[in-house]
Amino acid sequence: KVESVPTEKSLPLVRTIQAQPEDVLWTVRSQGTVAPRTESDLIPEVSGRVVWVSPKLVSGGFFNYDEPLLRIDDRDYAAALARAEADVARANSEAQHAASELKRQQGLARSKANSRSQLSDALRADRVAQASLKAAESQLGVAQRDLSRTEVRAPFEGRVRQEDIDVGQFVSRGTPVATLYATDFAEIRLPLADRQLAYLDLPSLYTAGEGIDLPEVRLRARFAGEDHTWRGRIVRTEGEIDDESRMVNVVAR
């Protein structure tokens, strides 16, 4: 016969502590693609034949702020500047003569030695001469700017993404010749789910830098067989929720 033997209950051992509330640092994970903060096309503001190209204006080349990148033949623009300077000198002489004649006619008018029409003609000639001088000075400014624009300079410190220009080519005003991007900052769009937003103080409803510290970001990537780490901060959120993924994109810099 099978004998019934009562089993002994083995109670598990537990350790108890008194819970204390404390702050917990919550980590939110995401991923994105690095993009330059500033990227723009290099566009000449004058037309002409290219006579010099910087050796740094090649794909992957680095350049400094305000560094010359290419030069356009400036002989026509130098001639236009010389004509504008001559026009200013001529208009200035005419304006001085008209002012002197007006002053003389006003003196004669006080002694009633001339007619009213002579005074009116002198006044009109003075105004026309002053207007011509202003127009000539304005044209001189245009000629000076056009001449200075024959040397195309870098608008910021950065790197060349691609270029399509060489010595001897004719470039037209407003035609892109290269694509540049800045290297001072990099930005990354990081998508976050709605449930993750509760753990971050995001700069969405205030101007960045006001009130609270911006959330810190640690960026990791593997490049050339090595692991690299960078530190940044969330600087802004995009102004809408993605219609397809229902994610909010934040921008880390």
Side-chain angles (χ1 to χ4, degrees), residues 19-234:
Q20 297 292 337
E22 62 181 7
D23 294 332
V24 177
L25 181 63
W26 186 265
T27 300
V28 175
R29 297 184 182 274
S30 183
Q31 61 183 5
T33 302
V34 180
R37 178 181 65 90
T38 301
E39 182 172 357
S40 62
D41 292 331
L42 185 67
I43 302 176
E45 297 182 79
V46 294
S47 302
R49 184 173 58 87
V50 177
V51 296
W52 177 82
V53 176
S54 171
K56 298 181 180 179
L57 189 59
V58 293
S59 180
F62 290 90
F63 54 84
N64 298 319
Y65 168 71
D66 204 34
E67 181 177 355
L69 296 179
L70 65 91
R71 294 190 182 98
I72 298 172
D73 188 1
D74 63 352
R75 289 175 294 180
D76 292 342
Y77 298 99
L81 177 60
R83 289 195 299 268
E85 290 174 345
D87 291 340
V88 169
R90 185 184 303 108
N92 189 35
S93 178
E94 293 292 339
Q96 291 178 358
H97 176 72
S100 177
E101 179 64 19
L102 175 62
K103 185 176 181 180
R104 190 178 72 87
Q105 290 294 335
Q106 288 174 341
L108 293 174
R110 284 193 293 270
S111 61
K112 297 182 180 180
N114 64 348
S115 63
R116 180 172 297 180
S117 63
Q118 290 177 314
L119 179 61
S120 177
D121 290 342
L123 180 62
R124 181 186 60 81
D126 179 69
R127 291 176 178 176
V128 171
Q130 292 295 331
S132 298
L133 177 59
K134 289 183 179 180
E137 290 175 343
S138 177
Q139 190 62 36
L140 175 61
V142 173
Q144 290 173 338
R145 287 193 298 272
D146 286 344
L147 181 60
S148 66
R149 288 167 179 170
T150 57
E151 185 175 72
V152 181
R153 294 180 173 269
F156 45 74
E157 180 180 355
R159 198 173 185 184
V160 180
R161 181 183 296 277
Q162 63 180 14
E163 55 85 23
D164 186 20
I165 191 64
D166 207 344
V167 175
Q169 285 186 249
F170 185 89
V171 296
S172 300
R173 181 196 301 262
T175 302
V177 298
T179 302
L180 314 176
Y181 64 89
T183 55
D184 51 354
F185 295 105
E187 292 187 344
I188 306 173
R189 296 173 68 250
L190 301 172
L192 297 178
D194 177 72
R195 64 180 181 275
Q196 296 173 312
L197 300 179
Y199 303 105
L200 296 175
D201 292 326
L202 294 177
S204 57
L205 300 178
Y206 60 91
T207 303
E210 294 183 0
I212 64 175
D213 293 333
L214 300 176
E216 184 180 348
V217 178
R218 288 192 298 271
L219 304 167
R220 299 183 179 90
R222 187 170 182 84
F223 180 74
E226 296 183 0
D227 293 327
H228 300 270
T229 303
W230 300 267
R231 289 184 178 272
R233 290 190 179 274
I234 300 294

